[in-house]
Amino acid sequence: MEEKKKELQVAAIKDGTVIDHIPPEQLFKVAQLIGLNRMSNPITMGNNLKSSKMGSKGMIKIEDKFFKPDEINRISLVAPNVVLNIIRNYEVTKKKYVSLPNKLEDIVRCNNPKCITNNEPMKTLFTVVDKETGAIKCHYCERKINKDEIQIK
């Protein structure tokens, strides 16, 4: 009988967060959204890794970083089905399945130049009208914005 070797494609981390199951074409958008370029934490990124669920995937491992809900909501805008694995002492202690929330507060910029949020100092507020397509609607001017038109603050 032939022995199958298993090997880690990306090094393990002691404590931190693994953002897993990122669509490969969205990996660098996720990295930009969460501000990886401004972090001093050790970071490992992998793209086009084999995935039984997706065929191929992207992954980001960040040591000593645990995300706040608003940061997770940012990720959900471009990669709504990622999994956040919380790592403590090299073990996965919690899995968070990311999905679009019903409301997005002060994350997205309205692309209507006449919207009050672009002309007054106030927070934006959007309702997610279709979680499948990622379409959202501005609470103030009621403009519907499709996923590919979203401008993240």
Side-chain angles (χ1 to χ4, degrees), residues 68-133:
K68 297 175 188 153
D70 65 313
E71 293 172 309
I72 294 169
N73 288 342
R74 287 173 147 328
I75 295 168
S76 74
L77 286 169
V78 296
N81 298 310
V82 300
V83 178
L84 294 182
N85 294 307
I86 309 305
I87 311 295
R88 301 232 187 249
N89 202 24
Y90 297 103
E91 297 288 329
V92 175
T93 59
K94 190 174 186 180
K95 280 186 180 268
K96 292 182 182 180
Y97 295 89
V98 175
S99 64
L100 271 174
N102 294 324
K103 302 235 182 249
L104 299 167
E105 186 175 346
D106 213 28
I107 295 173
V108 177
R109 185 171 122 41
C110 186
N111 60 10
N112 176 1
K114 294 184 179 184
C115 181
I116 191 168
T117 61
N118 289 320
N119 296 292
E120 297 289 334
M122 61 189 306
K123 292 181 178 182
T124 60
L125 180 61
F126 286 84
T127 303
V128 176
V129 292
D130 189 338
K131 288 191 180 198
E132 287 294 313
T133 64

Side-chain angles (χ1 to χ4, degrees), residues 11-17 36 39-45 60-65:
I13 60 174
K14 183 178 182 201
D15 296 296
T17 303
L36 285 188
M39 290 184 193
S40 59
N41 312 45
I43 298 165
T44 305
M45 291 175 61
I60 302 171
K61 294 184 175 193
I62 310 164
E63 285 195 43
D64 299 316
K65 172 69 177 161

Side-chain angles (χ1 to χ4, degrees), residues 16-34:
T17 303
V18 177
I19 307 169
D20 200 2
H21 295 99
I22 304 169
E25 66 277 4
Q26 300 293 42
L27 178 73
F28 295 103
K29 275 188 185 176
V30 171
Q32 181 183 12
L33 281 177
I34 60 176

